Amino acid sequence: MHTRRIGDVEVSAIGLGGMPMSIEGRPDEARSLATIHAALDAGVTLIDTADAYHRDAHEVGHNETLIAKALASHDLGKDVLVATKGGHLRPGDGSWTLDGSPRHLKEACEASLRRLGVEAIGLYQFHRPDPRVPYAESVGAIRDLLDEGKILMAGISNANPERIGQANEILGGRLVSVQNQFSPAFRSSEPELRLCDELGIAFLPWSPLGGISRAGELGSAYAPFARVAEAHGVSPQQVCLAWMLAKSPVVVPIPGSSRPETIRDSLGAVGLVLGAEEIAELDAV
């Protein structure tokens, strides 16, 4: 497994996104545990989650609890950096809401600590800006958690370049990650990726394959990815992740998965070397 860095921590170049194992359409627990264990066996040392990754209103933190159980039952679990998030909520009716208030973020962090069963969270990220709360106040709460030792590293998600700069300033230069949507279908985070590359901040693309319902259609929707995949004898999904890895050494994709075979396939991208012409062709999509 090739590695990259988030802050001062070395992690697998591709992580595992936990969301599909906890929201609508999720598999049974046995398959989810098998998926996480397959990722660990293949060398994954980064798992992304959030307290909002659940389906029903009464099960906040479902995905965090699931991941904690999987890590505790595997010999390699202790070597994993768990990145979780706070500030997003799911009332249980399928919608997503926001609460970026400092009080909520600090309470959410305490709850995540309990569910993950740790004294300090490896990477805690502000999930999404709340228009009702000044961004500086929300990030200030993350700074406080960092200063108090409740979290070891701090990140933000769904942020534009201005907010990346603002967050890094509030955190005293300690911003280690930015998690934004980025895929062949969603390219508007290119400026944030470039800024992270300049600053040496990890860029974690979420839904890198286009989302839960569309990941399997990547090759049919984007012909260049299918052509390059055929040339290398791999899946279009592997080509997509290899293309992202080639963009910058700060990129660490976190494809979501709920099947052992899909995460194993995704991880094959770390050894896939694309030529300059292939990368240019994919960039032009």
Side-chain angles (χ1 to χ4, degrees):
M1 175 59 70
H2 299 192
T3 61
R4 296 198 165 184
R5 301 194 73 80
I6 298 179
D8 59 0
V9 178
E10 191 172 319
V11 299
S12 52
I14 293 176
L16 170 64
M19 187 174 75
M21 293 179 273
S22 289
I23 64 169
E24 291 79 359
R26 68 194 186 197
D28 59 42
E29 184 176 280
R31 197 178 90 190
S32 292
L33 293 174
T35 300
I36 298 169
H37 288 169
L40 299 181
D41 289 337
V44 165
T45 58
L46 170 66
I47 298 181
D48 176 76
T49 183
D51 60 1
Y53 294 167
H54 62 90
R55 185 186 62 200
D56 304 321
H58 69 275
E59 56 173 22
V60 174
H62 178 277
N63 198 242
E64 292 176 324
T65 302
L66 176 70
I67 287 168
K69 182 175 183 178
L71 297 183
S73 58
H74 197 288
D75 291 341
L76 298 175
K78 64 183 184 304
D79 300 323
V80 172
L81 172 64
V82 176
T84 192
K85 299 179 287 293
H88 229 343
L89 301 90
R90 301 204 76 196
D93 60 0
S95 66
W96 297 76
T97 59
L98 300 168
D99 190 344
S101 66
R103 177 178 178 178
H104 171 76
L105 290 171
K106 292 180 179 182
E107 290 176 349
C109 179
E110 293 288 352
S112 292
L113 281 165
R114 291 192 295 270
R115 286 188 291 264
L116 293 171
V118 295
E119 294 183 1
I121 294 171
L123 172 58
Y124 195 72
Q125 301 161 104
F126 178 37
H127 204 154
R128 186 179 287 273
D130 182 348
R132 302 169 303 171
V133 180
Y135 195 67
E137 292 185 13
S138 299
V139 178
I142 305 298
R143 177 200 58 215
D144 293 345
L145 293 168
L146 190 59
D147 291 341
E148 293 165 8
K150 298 291 179 67
I151 66 176
L152 301 180
M153 295 189 292
I156 55 175
S157 185
N158 302 298
N160 60 25
E162 180 182 358
R163 283 177 168 154
I164 292 172
Q166 183 183 7
N168 197 33
E169 182 177 356
I170 292 168
L171 291 165
R174 295 176 293 173
L175 180 67
V176 302
S177 66
V178 172
Q179 184 176 144
N180 275 17
Q181 184 175 12
F182 184 74
S183 69
F186 193 93
R187 300 286 291 276
S188 62
S189 284
E190 290 270 12
E192 289 82 6
L193 193 163
R194 290 194 295 270
L195 178 58
C196 285
D197 180 72
E198 294 171 9
L199 298 175
I201 294 171
F203 183 84
L204 314 181
W206 62 264
S207 289
L209 302 177
I212 297 171
S213 62
R214 299 178 181 175
E217 304 169 0
L218 194 150
S220 58
Y222 299 96
F225 286 87
R227 286 197 297 271
V228 174
E230 185 177 3
H232 287 271
V234 300
S235 69
Q237 291 75 22
Q238 276 194 36
V239 170
C240 178
L241 296 171
W243 165 68
M244 289 186 182
L245 291 171
K247 283 188 167 293
S248 167
V250 303
V251 174
V252 185
I254 45 173
S257 180
S258 64
R259 298 177 184 273
E261 56 268 30
T262 56
I263 188 59
R264 290 192 193 106
D265 181 75
S266 289
L267 296 173
V270 298
L272 177 59
V273 179
L274 302 176
E277 291 184 2
E278 292 174 322
I279 292 172
E281 181 183 6
L282 299 175
D283 280 339
V285 169

